[in-house]
Amino acid sequence: VQNVTLLLSFFPLGTGSSILSALQDLFWLSKSKVEKQLQIISVLQWVLTFLIMGVACTLILMYILCTDCWAIAALYLAWLVFDWNTPKKGGRRSQWVRNWAIWRYFRDYFPIRLVKTHNLLTTRNYIFGYHPHGIMGLGAFCNFSTEATGVSQKFPGIRPYLATLAGNFRMPILRDYLMSGGICPVNRDSIDYILSKNGSGNAIIIVVGGAAESLNCTPGKNSVTLKNRKGFVKLALRHGADLVPVYSFGENEVYKQVIFEEDSWGRWVQKKFQKHIGFAPCIFHGRGLFSSNTWGLLPYPKPITTVVGEPITIPKIDNPSQKEVDFYHSIYVDSLIKLFDKYKGKFGLPEAEVLEVN
């Protein structure tokens, strides 16, 4: 009965909730325990998607090609060739997928919260700089690739696009799943298209620190890799897109990581992966599936609060000089530090805490 209850509650419509309530009354199930299990399942499926879905789908597709059902795989591959450039042209988002009930359970596991500080004009385009990366960017995904925290209600008329590694969009099935949430490749072609050929009211969320920042994230540490990350500022100037600093308090708290010293073999391997593949393999752990006292892939249920700061008005300059890029980059860095300092006390950090900018 409990398994049936878990499945039914995942339906995005109200049917699952009403049946769940009836079964709880009938079999004396604890609502809080059922919801906690649903939260764990929702987070686990996302973690597995993040880690293995792309490779798993590729292997399954190759296997099907060698079976009597090869025509199904062949049809999909033909569709893949035809649809190859869609991720670079704004993708194919699905409001139905973004509103799945599973994302609300995902949100409540931590919980994750989105805080709005200023209105955004629908007549402008935006580049959100998201900090810090953390291990998996859980706050970025929940807040901007789903409607679990109400991003469309908080910023009406704004279409968020979370940018991630372009390599993910070469993976069968995974690419379609990512696009349904409004996720796009973090490359120039994709960003240029959204900011120049998709009208106004677009907001591209770029996790500026990327793989390099993920190598240094650990609980209790608030640091960002930003000093030499200026490409997003140049893009903003070329398109006249306003810059918006975003800081997620608690993003670094949900996993524990082995941090290698700069001159160690472990860091050398990580940097080689980062340079040639685009991501850096991290040795990390969270809690176990059945107990918080064991190690596992589940993140620790720590609050993540994402604060969207005040937009910085950016002029449109077709060919910005390095001096202009540096000037607006410095304004952005100052705005991010001010945002951190203003809200750190409200979200559990001591007033003496300083944001480290590397």
Side-chain angles (χ1 to χ4, degrees):
V1 171
Q2 192 170 1
N3 290 336
V4 174
T5 306
L6 294 176
L7 290 171
L8 287 172
S9 63
F10 271 91
F11 284 92
L13 301 177
T15 306
S17 299
S18 60
I19 296 176
L20 173 63
S21 178
L23 286 174
Q24 287 171 346
D25 293 339
L26 184 60
F27 296 101
W28 304 284
L29 294 177
S30 168
K31 183 178 180 180
S32 61
K33 289 182 179 179
V34 171
E35 289 186 345
K36 187 62 180 177
Q37 290 174 334
L38 291 172
Q39 291 168 11
I40 289 173
I41 292 172
S42 67
V43 174
L44 179 62
Q45 67 81 29
W46 188 86
V47 170
L48 293 177
T49 296
F50 182 90
L51 294 176
I52 67 172
M53 184 178 178
V55 174
C57 288
T58 302
L59 293 175
I60 291 171
L61 196 66
M62 292 172 62
Y63 170 75
I64 294 175
L65 279 171
C66 300
T67 69
D68 293 339
C69 298
W70 64 268
I72 297 175
L75 283 172
Y76 178 79
L77 289 174
W79 161 253
L80 192 62
V81 172
F82 175 78
D83 195 54
W84 190 252
N85 289 322
T86 298
K88 299 178 183 179
K89 297 180 178 180
R92 188 171 46 246
R93 73 174 56 216
S94 166
Q95 287 301 115
W96 177 66
V97 173
R98 288 175 61 89
N99 281 284
W100 276 353
I102 192 173
W103 306 131
R104 295 193 291 276
Y105 291 112
F106 182 96
R107 172 199 65 196
D108 294 339
Y109 173 84
F110 297 93
I112 295 174
R113 180 186 172 202
L114 180 65
V115 176
K116 169 186 174 180
T117 62
H118 291 79
N119 292 324
L120 298 181
L121 299 175
T122 57
T123 56
R124 299 285 293 174
N125 283 324
Y126 301 90
I127 293 180
F128 287 18
Y130 184 92
H131 313 270
H133 183 286
I135 295 293
M136 296 185 184
L138 292 157
F141 171 80
C142 185
N143 284 308
F144 301 112
S145 294
T146 81
E147 294 296 332
T149 55
V151 63
S152 293
Q153 287 72 44
K154 288 182 170 68
F155 300 103
I158 302 297
R159 293 180 298 277
Y161 293 86
L162 176 61
T164 189
L165 290 175
N168 289 323
F169 296 89
R170 301 187 187 103
M171 301 285 191
I173 310 301
L174 176 62
R175 67 187 292 277
D176 302 288
Y177 189 43
L178 294 177
M179 283 193 292
S180 68
I183 301 177
C184 68
V186 61
N187 59 30
R188 181 169 173 174
D189 289 343
S190 176
I191 294 172
D192 282 347
Y193 183 92
I194 293 171
L195 294 180
S196 64
K197 299 179 181 179
N198 203 41
S200 60
N202 302 292
I204 297 178
I205 298 88
I206 300 177
V207 186
V208 178
E213 191 172 86
S214 69
L215 296 178
N216 295 312
C217 69
T218 187
K221 186 174 183 179
N222 289 283
S223 66
V224 296
T225 301
L226 183 57
K227 279 185 179 178
N228 297 315
R229 299 295 175 105
K230 301 179 181 181
F232 73 106
V233 178
K234 189 173 184 178
L235 280 170
L237 285 165
R238 288 180 63 245
H239 293 285
D242 293 348
L243 288 171
V244 182
V246 179
Y247 197 86
S248 261
F249 294 89
E251 185 72 63
N252 285 345
E253 308 299 316
V254 296
Y255 279 111
K256 296 179 181 179
Q257 180 184 190
V258 177
I259 305 293
F260 293 103
E261 297 295 331
E262 281 299 323
D263 296 327
S264 66
W265 66 269
R267 183 53 64 99
W268 179 83
V269 170
Q270 289 176 323
K271 287 188 174 182
K272 286 296 182 182
F273 265 84
Q274 178 189 339
K275 180 179 179 180
H276 296 293
I277 301 178
F279 75 93
C282 303
I283 299 177
F284 65 93
H285 72 85
R287 53 156 291 182
L289 180 60
F290 301 106
S291 171
S292 59
N293 297 320
T294 58
W295 288 10
L297 289 176
L298 278 177
Y300 293 104
K302 303 289 186 179
I304 298 175
T305 305
T306 302
V307 184
V308 180
E310 182 178 3
I312 303 165
T313 302
I314 302 293
K316 188 178 187 304
I317 304 174
D318 291 334
N319 293 297
S321 66
Q322 189 59 50
K323 184 177 180 180
E324 290 168 327
V325 171
D326 291 343
F327 173 73
Y328 285 101
H329 181 267
S330 66
I331 293 176
Y332 178 86
V333 173
D334 290 342
S335 297
L336 179 64
I337 293 173
K338 289 177 182 177
L339 180 70
F340 178 85
D341 289 339
K342 181 176 181 179
Y343 288 94
K344 61 186 178 183
K346 297 180 181 179
F347 302 119
L349 296 179
E351 290 298 330
E353 184 73 18
V354 176
L355 179 63
E356 181 182 331
V357 180
N358 298 313

